[in-house]
Amino acid sequence: MTRPMTGLVELAAVTKTYPGDVHALRGVDLTVARGELLAIVGPSGSGKSTMLHMIGTLDRPTTGAVRVAGHDIAALSDRELSALRSRYMGFVFQQFHLAPGVSALDNVADGLLYTGTNRRVRRRRAAAALDRVGLGHRLRHKPSQLSGGEQQRVAVARAVVGDPPLLLADEPTGNLDSMAGADVLAVLAGLHESGTTIAVITHDAEIAGWCHRQVRLRDGLIVDGHDHDDRGPVELLKGGRS
Amino acid sequence: MRERLAPGRLSPGDVLRVGAAGLRARPARVILSALGIAIGIATMIAVIGISSSSREQLLRQLDKLGTNLLTVTPGRTMFGDDAKLPTTALAMVQRIRPVRTAAATGSVETSVRRTNHIPETNTGGISVQAASSGLLATLEGAVVKGTWLNDATARQPAVVLGAAAAERLGLARTGVQVWMGGRWFTVIGILGPMPLAPEIERSALIGFPAAEELLGFDGYPTTIYERSSDESVESVREVLPRTVNPSNPEEVSVSRPSDALAAKAAAAGAFTNLLLGLGAVALLVGGVGVANTMVISVLERRKEIGLRRSLGATRGQVRLQFLSESLLLSGLGGVVGAVLGALATAGYAVSRDWPPVVPPWAIGGAVAATLVIGTVAGIYPAMRAARLSPTVALATT
Ligand SMILES: Nc1ncnc2c1ncn2[C@@H]1O[C@H](COP(=O)(O)OP(=O)(O)OP(=O)(O)O)[C@@H](O)[C@H]1O
Ligand SMILES: [Mg+2]
């Protein structure tokens, strides 16, 4: 309890064993510092998503400790964990998980539903968040009226509408073509510029390369966690596209 | 120093909105599963409503007719023979102080026919009765055609027909002749309905003197009708046998015609249990349908549940979402059912000329029933949704 807080999220000797003796994580130490842009890479089944779930407190480790903003999550109840998620985390998944038949604005506003914000404020901030991801002109559109890239940007807007310090993305461009993927990445880059800490799982070496730091997993262990490249993601993106 | 982690509260409006969102996405399924509840509630409301309307109708009729009419008829002698009322009976009854009006009728052994060609055995269910002049007033009846008997016509071959008697004879106007006891009588009046004395509706009425002189009537009354003030009905009832027949009061029987109507009203209030049972079965089936819909809904929406958990929804909030969805679903069925049931009641009541009555307690009961069904049907699916781990929910393909 008296340990000084060094990172936004800290994993210490975290293991996760699924029923059937599946050792998805086998002792992971990781610190995610504020302001970081972190890539999580590794072969399929290496435990990337499992680790992201640990960082995002969607699940508890089998052994080891997870600390988020100084809270030891082992000591938190389910209610407190939920509150922690709503305050600190934004999630983006490979699937967009948008409610069909519901406008982009209301989909994004749902990102604040569990924060105790009233509806009018939720919708106002949702409009601002959509503006931030370049969809200020698509507020009333239903998901079916949006392209894949636009839908994923709506999902990003929903994740960040509450200004969480940490954005966790699990293969956010996995379902998109490269153009649409680039748009989504540009949005992430912009968010990072304005101070959001981002951890992103990716199979794409180019995307991984654009992050300050890569964490490579294999068989549930971190095999490589080096910093690399001193160029910012924005320049990289620009360089990559021209 | 550590920040407090308290989840944000959902406002009641948000709870409803989130519950309704789940329904809006699947309108066809919602309609089908709400239909079961609607049919059950509609059946119960209609059964209760229709019997309440019929009861109300009878009570209003009773109110209008009054409950202060008593009839006196001869019972049996101690040897089991038919007794007779003394010829003085009417005069004695009129002497009881609280009695306001009284009248007598006496059965005449003959029949009434349109012509003498119709065989005498063919009475058409119409009886011929001698009637005292106060009968119409005592029964608070009305003459719809012609006049009632007066002192003069009571001695002549003149007859007044009850409503049913006139109808059976096929007579709608006065002045015509009917064949009674071997001679012609002139119809001088036709009476309106008499709900408290249906036997008079089926009678051809002539004066006591005419009956005795022209048809050989023995002069013994067979029924005495009397009305008193409402408060004294019971006391009059007690003294009637002794007054009518002081020597053999046990040979006199007294009854209150309105009792039959009151019994009918009470019976109308007791619902048709079979129909109510059917409604309950429909409700039960509807409840199972709602539970089934909710279980499927939870299975289909695992990803949505996972997403909501990632956005910070607590288990309780997920449970509340599905519980409110289930309550809305059955509540929708309940509202539709209550409206249908009320419409059915109104339609049926109006078609029978009854006042439509849907008791508020029936509506209250319907609301309570749908709330209970919605809760019971929703608890298990909602618990399952809440227990789902966020990662498992999100991993669903
Ligand atoms: N809920 C679960 N129950 C059982 N085993 C699981 C569960 N979730 C993941 N696993 C297993 O844990 C291991 C790690 O899974 P994880 O999803 O973290 O891999 P990943 O690195 O994200 O793979 P991919 O790149 O394919 O998404 C895999 O072997 C997987 O089968
Ligand atoms: Mg994965």
Side-chain angles (χ1 to χ4, degrees), chain A residues 1 18 53 58-59 67 69-72 76 78-89 91 93 95-98 100 102 110-111 113-119 122 158-159, chain B residues 2-11 14-15 17-18 21 24-25 303-304 306-318 321 386 389-397:
Chain A
M1 288 297 131
Y18 287 113
H53 292 157
L58 286 173
D59 209 350
R67 303 176 69 83
H71 296 279
D72 178 0
L76 300 181
D78 183 76
R79 278 169 60 80
E80 290 170 320
L81 271 191
S82 301
L84 186 77
R85 281 197 293 273
S86 77
R87 203 169 296 173
Y88 284 93
M89 316 281 176
F91 291 89
F93 303 98
Q95 295 170 51
F96 318 132
H97 294 305
L98 298 178
V102 174
D110 264 0
L113 185 59
Y114 302 100
T115 59
T117 317
N118 80 45
R119 184 156 181 258
R122 292 203 301 264
R158 179 180 58 199
Chain B
R2 177 102 357 119
E3 70 179 320
R4 235 172 54 83
L5 290 170
R9 292 178 58 86
L10 287 182
S11 72
D14 287 334
V15 172
R17 205 170 291 115
V18 170
R24 214 170 320 131
K303 281 192 244 176
E304 179 196 321
L307 177 85
R308 289 186 185 277
R309 296 282 275 140
S310 82
L311 291 175
T314 63
R315 285 196 185 119
Q317 285 165 336
V318 170
Q321 171 181 347
S389 120
T391 54
V392 171
L394 283 166
T396 314
T397 43

Side-chain angles (χ1 to χ4, degrees), chain B residues 26 61 90 106 168 179 198 228 231 262 272 306 340 365 386:
Chain B
R26 296 160 190 81
Q61 201 183 6
L90 178 58
R168 286 180 198 172
W179 187 256
S228 60
E231 313 78 64
T272 334
L340 287 181

